[in-house]
Amino acid sequence: MSVAKKQYKRITVKSLSEMKANGEKISMLTAYDYTMAKIVDSGGVDVILVGDSASNVMAGHETTLPITLDQMIYHASSVVRAAERSLVVVDLPFGSYQSDPKEALRSAIRIMKESGGHSVKLEGGREVKESIKRILHAGIPVMGHLGLTPQSIYKFGTYTVRAKEEAEAEKLIEDALLLEKWGCFALVLEKVPAALAEKVASQLSIPVIGIGAGAGVDGQVLVSHDMFGMTHEFNPRFLRRYLNLYEEMGDAVSSYVKDVKAKDFPNENEQY
Ligand code: KIV
C-alpha cells in the first residue's frame, strides 16, 4: 500500500525525522553555488549539502583538507540565497572543530551567522564528542558522518570501503548510537557494506543517509556534479549518472568555438 507523502513547504530537521518515521526516503545532493542550488532546490531535493567536497569539485584539490572556513562560508551563503525549500547543511571543514570544542563552536556559529545555513555536518564519533556536544548545546543542529571520512584520508591511506572488518563495524555502530544519544539529527554513512548500513539505520531513530552504503538506509546523497556527469574521472560503483554533462557541455563549447571562428555568431538577431 502506498503511503501518502506529506507536502513540506520548507524542510526542517523535524521534517526529516517525520520522513524516517513514515518510511519516506530522504533525498540529498551537494551544491556549492547559487545556480546549482537553484536547480537542485527547484528539482525538489530535501537536503542540500554544502560539502567540503567543494575542495575537490570546485577548487581541484586532491583532498578535502585544504578548504577553509571562510571558503565554506562563501559557498554556503551562495547556496542559502537559492534554497527556498531544502534544508541546507554545511560541512565544518578540516581543522575547524577537531582541536578544541570552543573553536568548534566558534566555527559552527560563524557558519550559521555568516552563511545563514540551517545546520552543520562534521566527521567522526567519540573523538569529537566534546565538539559535537558544545555545538548542540548552542542550539545548532548537527549531522554526523561516519564510515569513510575523507578528512582522515591520510590515516586511512585509501578511499576504499570502510568497516568491512568486525572490529571497525562494531566501533561504527557504537559511534552511531552515541551520535544519536548526544542529539545529532541525522547521520551520513559513507562507503560501508550495505548490510552494516541497514543494521545501523534499523537501530537508530534518527535518519541515516547513505553514499555508497546501499538501499537499506533512510536516504541517499550524491555529489551533484558527479550525478549530472559533469565530472568524468570519478567512477565509483555507487555512482549513478543521470546526465552526461561533461560530454554535452564540451560539445556545446566546440560548437560555440566553431560558430565564432566561422563568424556565424552573433547573427543579425543576436545584436543591437
Ligand atoms: O563533502 C561531501 O560532499 C560529503 C558527501 C560525500 C556526503 O560529505
Side-chain angles (χ1 to χ4, degrees):
M1 196 175 70
S2 77
V3 183
K5 302 262 186 296
K6 181 169 167 185
Q7 298 297 313
Y8 293 98
K9 263 199 185 150
R10 166 64 89 175
I11 303 291
T12 63
V13 297
K14 190 165 162 273
S15 326
L16 300 186
S17 150
E18 283 174 7
M19 286 181 189
K20 171 152 182 159
N22 296 333
E24 177 180 347
K25 298 280 184 183
I26 296 164
S27 58
M28 174 158 135
L29 281 172
T30 59
Y32 320 111
D33 65 81
Y34 179 85
T35 304
M36 184 68 90
K38 266 273 169 227
I39 294 168
V40 300
D41 183 76
S42 62
V45 82
D46 299 312
V47 184
I48 300 182
L49 172 65
V50 186
D52 59 356
S53 50
S55 179
N56 313 96
V57 178
M58 301 304 282
H61 291 297
E62 243 179 63
T63 72
T64 57
L65 275 65
I67 199 159
T68 66
L69 185 58
D70 284 335
Q71 288 165 340
M72 287 304 297
I73 289 170
Y74 167 76
H75 287 299
S77 59
S78 310
V79 167
V80 167
R81 283 191 284 277
E84 288 178 25
R85 177 181 173 275
S86 321
L87 178 83
V88 179
V89 180
V90 185
D91 264 341
L92 278 165
F94 176 68
S96 72
Y97 63 94
Q98 291 93 341
S99 56
D100 161 22
K102 281 190 189 158
E103 192 191 358
L105 177 57
R106 270 195 299 275
S107 304
I109 287 177
R110 279 201 62 202
I111 285 182
M112 302 299 281
K113 258 188 186 301
E114 296 176 39
S115 78
H118 310 137
S119 58
V120 297
K121 173 165 86 58
L122 54 79
E123 297 181 6
R126 64 199 75 176
E127 312 81 12
V128 283
K129 170 182 170 184
E130 294 310 325
S131 294
I132 292 176
K133 284 187 150 188
R134 205 171 265 258
I135 297 169
L136 285 165
H137 278 146
I140 300 171
V142 176
M143 179 180 270
H145 183 155
L146 298 173
L148 176 64
T149 47
Q151 291 180 10
S152 306
I153 184 58
Y154 291 114
K155 184 172 102 185
F156 298 143
T158 70
Y159 287 102
T160 50
V161 180
R162 304 299 315 168
K164 279 165 72 179
E165 308 300 329
E166 204 179 316
E168 197 184 339
E170 268 171 27
K171 180 179 179 292
L172 187 146
I173 294 173
E174 283 167 17
D175 277 338
L177 289 165
L178 286 171
L179 291 173
E180 169 168 272
K181 184 172 149 208
W182 298 331
C184 289
F185 72 93
L187 167 66
V188 164
L189 274 188
E190 180 165 356
K191 243 183 160 181
V192 296
L196 172 64
E198 185 167 4
K199 191 169 169 190
V200 173
S202 71
Q203 289 193 21
L204 262 56
S205 58
I206 58 171
V208 175
I209 300 177
I211 174 162
V217 287
D218 308 304
Q220 299 294 328
V221 54
L222 284 176
V223 168
S224 47
H225 289 68
D226 296 335
M227 121 15 188
F228 286 133
M230 293 170 92
T231 52
H232 72 303
E233 281 160 355
F234 181 62
N235 287 302
R237 187 203 294 200
F238 67 75
L239 173 61
R240 184 180 294 180
R241 288 205 166 86
Y242 287 80
L243 289 171
N244 185 1
L245 286 188
Y246 187 88
E247 236 174 77
E248 282 184 47
M249 291 170 87
D251 289 348
V253 172
S254 303
S255 300
Y256 168 74
V257 171
K258 193 170 125 274
D259 290 351
V260 170
K261 301 280 182 197
K263 301 180 186 154
D264 186 39
F265 175 80
N267 64 25
E268 272 183 20
N269 298 325
E270 291 164 331
Q271 56 191 309
Y272 301 100

